[in-house]
Amino acid sequence: MAIRRILTIDNAADLAILKQVSTPVEVVDDAIRALMDDMLDTMYDAPGIGLAAVQIGELHRVVVMDLGDGPLPEGAEAPAEGEEPRIPNPRFIVNPEVLWASDETYCYEEGCLSIPEYFDEVERPARVRVAYLNREGERIEEEIEGLYAVCYQHELDHLNGVLFIDHLSRLRRDRAMSKVKKTMRLREDA
């Protein structure tokens, strides 16, 4: 397992890769599972809640995410009133697809590891019925909503060469590009 470099939009070569459509995975084998392990380590290190393979330069239809919504371990103390539990719950998603999307929408302020330190509201379907292969290569179908649905759709966009800022107006998209370029220059100077 290794931490990989995350491609960012301020670099023209990185952006060209991020805009490509990823190819389907033929079989979930040890090589794909090793890729998922690297992706998970990279995502946790960043830190983030979702990562598509294309974000580390791998054009496979593979996503990992962890929304911290796992079940409370047996014997563990429940969180205090008003405190959100953060229980690891890694998800491994191969060849994701949306089978159905609700007409009802949900607005969420999204961010992206490839667009550092920029957040903006994106409107997406509130509920989606999805299908994908899990870490063992088994086909899973489920209806999802809330943050899971937002993250799933965001990462699926990555696999199709779409960034969350592509859902914004041209003005807001240009503002995002400028802010990220400035942020990355400041990081390099530090």
Side-chain angles (χ1 to χ4, degrees):
M1 297 186 284
I3 294 171
R4 306 272 204 79
R5 184 178 78 82
I6 297 173
L7 307 182
T8 55
I9 63 169
D10 64 299
N11 178 301
D14 286 1
L15 184 57
I17 293 168
L18 289 167
K19 297 305 276 178
Q20 292 184 42
V21 176
S22 298
T23 57
V25 171
E26 295 297 320
V27 62
V28 180
D29 58 15
D30 288 343
I32 293 296
R33 283 187 281 275
L35 171 63
M36 290 190 280
D37 291 340
D38 284 357
M39 291 170 62
L40 201 61
D41 286 347
T42 302
M43 182 191 76
Y44 286 145
D45 182 67
I49 62 171
L51 187 71
V54 66
Q55 291 179 271
I56 59 167
E58 299 282 347
L59 291 172
H60 302 291
R61 294 185 80 77
V62 176
V63 168
V64 296
M65 66 178 75
D66 189 339
L67 308 176
D69 59 351
L72 199 61
E74 190 174 314
E77 211 171 287
E81 182 72 30
E83 187 178 301
E84 282 291 313
R86 179 92 176 104
I87 311 298
N89 186 23
R91 291 178 168 95
F92 303 94
I93 298 169
V94 178
N95 297 337
E97 57 185 311
V98 171
L99 305 173
W100 168 86
S102 68
D103 291 332
E104 177 190 358
T105 60
Y106 180 67
C107 240
Y108 189 82
E109 187 175 71
E110 296 186 25
C112 180
L113 296 174
S114 292
I115 308 170
E117 298 181 35
Y118 184 81
F119 301 88
D120 212 324
E121 290 216 344
V122 176
E123 187 174 10
R124 298 184 183 273
R127 290 185 332 277
V128 288
R129 180 144 189 86
V130 300
Y132 59 91
L133 302 177
N134 67 12
R135 187 176 173 85
E136 289 73 43
E138 303 162 328
R139 182 176 167 85
I140 306 293
E141 283 191 28
E142 58 185 338
E143 190 168 310
I144 60 177
E145 61 186 359
L147 183 57
Y148 185 14
V150 168
C151 192
Y152 187 100
Q153 293 172 84
H154 175 110
E155 300 306 334
L156 179 57
D157 274 355
H158 272 300
L159 301 179
N160 293 324
V162 176
L163 301 168
F164 89 87
I165 60 173
D166 294 334
H167 293 282
L168 306 177
S169 69
R170 182 182 178 101
L171 176 67
R172 288 166 54 203
R173 191 169 45 248
D174 290 346
R175 187 179 312 138
M177 292 291 285
S178 295
K179 183 174 182 192
V180 169
K181 286 179 182 179
K182 180 179 178 185
T183 297
M184 298 309 281
R185 273 195 312 273
L186 291 173
R187 281 186 185 177
E188 288 172 6
D189 293 343

